[in-house]
Amino acid sequence: MASIWELHQQLINKERSAVEIAQESLERINKLEPKLKSFLCLTADQALEQARRVDAKIAAGEEIGLLAGIPVAVKDNMCTRGVPTTCASKILENFVPPYESTVTQKLRDADAVIVGKTNLDQFAMGSSTETSAFQVTSNPWDIERVPGGSSGGSAAAVASGECSVALGSDTGGSIRQPASLCGVVGLKPTYGLVSRYGLVAYASSLDQIGPFGRTVEDAAILLQAIAGYDPKDSTSLNVPIPSYINSLRPNFRPKGQIRIGVIKETFEDGLDPEVKDAVTKAMELLQDLGAEIQVISCPRFRYGLATYYVIATSEASANLARFDGVKYGIRDRDAETLLDMYGTTRAKGFGEEVKRRIMLGTYALSAGYYDAYYLKAQKVRTLIKEDFERAFAQVDILTCPTSPTTAFKIGEKTNDPLSMYLSDLMTIPVNLAGLPALSLPCGFDSKGLPIGLQFIGNVLKESQLLEVGRVYQESTPWHTRTPQIN
Ligand code: GLN
């Protein structure tokens, strides 16, 4: 599927209609879904209706925006009015939201064509999309491998050309890690830049919605559409939104003015040598392009994973208390008492990983343990933030691999939660500090699997990340390769 910019040109030059573009997307989805399984639900009728509205605007000579008529997929943890929103969990199998999330409303206002809702790890808990209660999504580069997670459906859909761009959510890496494993661009915005209204909460102090695209420009266009203050989200930032698209100046070169810090600790044990090699080459190239490269130490980075699994599970245990068979989703009708009904509904509705996290979080928050675990984790979170602050006093952008490995085999890590948790070693500290970060392709390993490079920015420095990402992208061929899946 062509880029947003190309599709937009085709539309305004009347070479193709929005209906034709929507049909191309829907046909590709129908063809690939038996293998890929990236979608949980398709909204073909609504998509075609939306496309017809765009065509009518064009016919009437109205000006259309960049996202008008563009096929977009949405992770199935964002509420869409009248369209099922399951979080890939049995407990929400029958849930049809009576309201629209802010981000999807913004997509509709921009005349984007939403083609469907994508698969995810149940309640966004996982790194492979395998904890979905409904299906396992494949990586388009090798269908025996995982697409990463939790936004694996969105990443696979974009990588395979089922749609042009997609929305994901990122609590500890769920946009960047699947972007890396599927060879696409993914951006996790600054905490509060994009409204979380209508995003089913996993860990509210960490969750952020962000874009996937085949190119940095496409990710920037989608970010532009969803960023901005929302009074319906109390953590939404009320700040002016720059033009991310204009900041992608064609001749921009980071000569001397951009200082990039390579995070030393991410190059230690556990890093796949081929990933290390590709990222090292990327650093060399950036240096040739004029960036100043320094090695930076973030010594507390290594506590990120432990801190995250206390904070995220604690917040999850509170957030997921609302699924009790009363207000949303399924209800166990065989239970005899109210209390039994709560328990058996949750026992039947939640998957294993979700239960594991609710138990962990409930334990960490319980009287007597709160100070030892939750409070301590919050303190370490502050220390991690300080590491970043110190680093940003010396450099403009930080960089490291997005994921320590390329895509692993389906089933390879399902019985070993700890090894699965390690997938997010390099992405989690970013969420703990609320910072923006971009992942983009930086090569392929000897198995032909994509490798991702991560750029981490200071608060609200999305434009800078996109600029540097775009310069790197223009000097490399990685984004032009597409998986051979048909
Ligand atoms: N993989 C991490 C986890 O399992 C992060 C998930 C996410 O960002 N939603 O929690």
Side-chain angles (χ1 to χ4, degrees):
M1 174 135 272
S3 70
I4 296 185
W5 185 249
E6 287 162 335
L7 292 174
H8 182 69
Q9 296 303 318
Q10 292 169 2
L11 283 172
I12 56 175
N13 295 331
K14 304 200 170 127
E15 289 158 30
R16 278 169 94 196
S17 67
V19 167
E20 282 166 347
I21 293 172
Q23 273 162 348
E24 180 196 329
S25 166
L26 294 167
E27 276 162 24
R28 185 133 178 99
I29 292 172
N30 283 332
K31 192 166 151 201
L32 296 186
E33 272 311 280
K35 281 184 206 156
L36 275 186
K37 301 195 177 70
S38 30
F39 284 87
L40 287 175
C41 143
L42 288 181
T43 49
D45 293 345
Q46 284 188 14
L48 291 169
E49 207 179 293
Q50 176 63 44
R52 278 192 287 273
R53 277 197 292 269
V54 173
D55 284 337
K57 281 193 180 177
I58 297 170
E62 279 180 48
E63 208 177 303
I64 56 160
L66 278 172
L67 268 185
I70 304 297
V72 184
V74 174
K75 185 177 182 180
D76 204 23
N77 61 350
M78 297 170 214
C79 287
T80 36
R81 185 172 32 229
V83 176
T85 300
T86 66
C87 290
S89 179
K90 282 213 158 53
I91 208 155
L92 286 179
E93 194 165 11
N94 60 357
F95 177 55
V96 180
Y99 73 108
E100 191 78 28
S101 69
T102 295
V103 282
T104 49
Q105 186 58 50
K106 286 188 173 216
L107 291 184
R108 296 188 198 284
D109 294 346
D111 289 328
V113 171
I114 298 178
V115 289
K117 307 285 296 284
T118 56
N119 196 23
L120 62 149
D121 278 299
Q122 198 165 141
F123 284 100
M125 297 175 184
S127 310
S128 65
T129 313
E130 290 167 293
T131 74
S132 165
F134 305 122
Q135 62 198 31
V136 175
T137 299
S138 281
N139 188 312
W141 294 90
D142 176 351
I143 59 167
E144 290 181 0
R145 291 177 187 268
V146 302
S150 64
S151 315
S154 288
V158 171
S160 63
E162 289 184 316
C163 58
S164 200
V165 285
L167 289 183
S169 67
D170 191 315
T171 306
S174 279
I175 293 175
R176 291 158 287 154
Q177 187 258 15
S180 170
L181 270 46
C182 288
V184 295
V185 175
L187 187 138
K188 181 250 166 219
T190 302
Y191 183 75
L193 183 70
V194 176
S195 170
R196 291 183 294 111
Y197 178 75
L199 168 71
V200 179
Y202 158 21
S204 315
S205 77
L206 302 159
D207 299 339
Q208 258 302 279
I209 295 170
F212 283 100
R214 290 269 316 285
T215 61
V216 172
E217 293 86 335
D218 281 4
I221 294 168
L222 191 54
L223 176 66
Q224 195 82 61
I226 58 170
Y229 175 63
D230 180 8
K232 291 181 188 149
D233 171 359
S234 62
T235 58
S236 174
L237 293 172
N238 196 350
V239 291
I241 303 299
S243 169
Y244 301 117
I245 305 161
N246 287 350
S247 69
L248 297 175
R249 297 187 298 271
N251 295 321
F252 173 82
R253 285 287 168 270
K255 281 234 165 35
Q257 82 236 53
I258 287 277
R259 295 163 303 165
I260 301 180
V262 184
I263 305 175
K264 185 174 109 200
E265 287 76 9
T266 59
F267 285 81
E268 289 165 3
D269 333 323
L271 183 62
D272 178 327
E274 291 190 277
V275 173
K276 186 174 179 180
D277 197 43
V279 173
T280 309
K281 288 209 175 89
M283 295 305 103
E284 287 163 9
L285 177 62
L286 284 161
Q287 192 156 27
D288 291 346
L289 290 168
E292 191 187 307
I293 309 282
Q294 293 178 30
V295 176
I296 292 280
S297 173
C298 293
R300 269 83 62 108
F301 222 73
R302 77 181 68 151
Y303 305 122
L305 210 60
T307 308
Y308 171 86
Y309 277 97
V310 173
I311 294 176
T313 57
S314 297
E315 292 185 22
S317 75
N319 274 326
L320 272 60
R322 74 192 68 177
F323 303 109
D324 56 5
V326 176
K327 300 183 266 326
Y328 311 86
I330 62 158
R331 173 179 303 172
D332 182 19
R333 305 225 168 241
D334 299 332
E336 285 177 5
T337 67
L338 180 64
L339 215 56
D340 281 351
M341 191 280 287
Y342 291 154
T344 50
T345 297
R346 287 163 70 83
K348 289 180 182 165
F350 287 136
E352 206 178 300
E353 184 61 27
V354 178
K355 287 179 190 162
R356 176 162 30 239
R357 295 194 187 198
I358 292 174
M359 285 192 284
L360 267 170
T362 307
Y363 179 78
L365 289 179
S366 55
Y369 294 108
Y370 181 92
D371 288 359
Y373 297 110
Y374 185 73
L375 205 63
K376 180 120 176 223
Q378 290 292 14
K379 289 179 180 167
V380 181
R381 183 178 190 172
T382 303
L383 295 177
I384 292 172
K385 227 170 144 187
E386 277 173 18
D387 269 8
F388 280 116
E389 279 162 14
R390 214 167 293 138
F392 285 123
Q394 296 171 60
V395 294
D396 304 301
I397 282 183
L398 289 167
T399 189
C400 62
T402 307
S403 159
T405 66
T406 52
F408 43 92
K409 286 250 165 83
I410 291 171
E412 193 180 320
K413 299 192 181 182
T414 36
N415 293 324
D416 186 357
L418 274 184
S419 108
M420 187 75 88
Y421 294 175
L422 283 171
S423 300
D424 301 302
L425 205 60
M426 297 161 178
T427 48
I428 275 174
V430 174
N431 299 72
L432 290 169
L435 300 174
L438 176 76
S439 177
L440 77 174
C442 74
F444 288 82
D445 70 4
S446 48
K447 295 189 210 77
L449 301 169
I451 300 172
L453 174 69
Q454 181 173 223
F455 288 126
I456 304 166
N458 208 342
V459 177
L460 294 173
K461 294 289 187 193
E462 281 77 4
S463 292
Q464 207 173 34
L465 292 178
L466 293 163
E467 282 172 358
V468 174
R470 152 92 175 252
V471 169
Y472 176 76
Q473 174 185 283
E474 288 206 330
S475 317
T476 53
W478 316 122
H479 64 290
T480 60
R481 290 207 202 162
T482 46
Q484 298 305 307
I485 177 164
N486 276 302

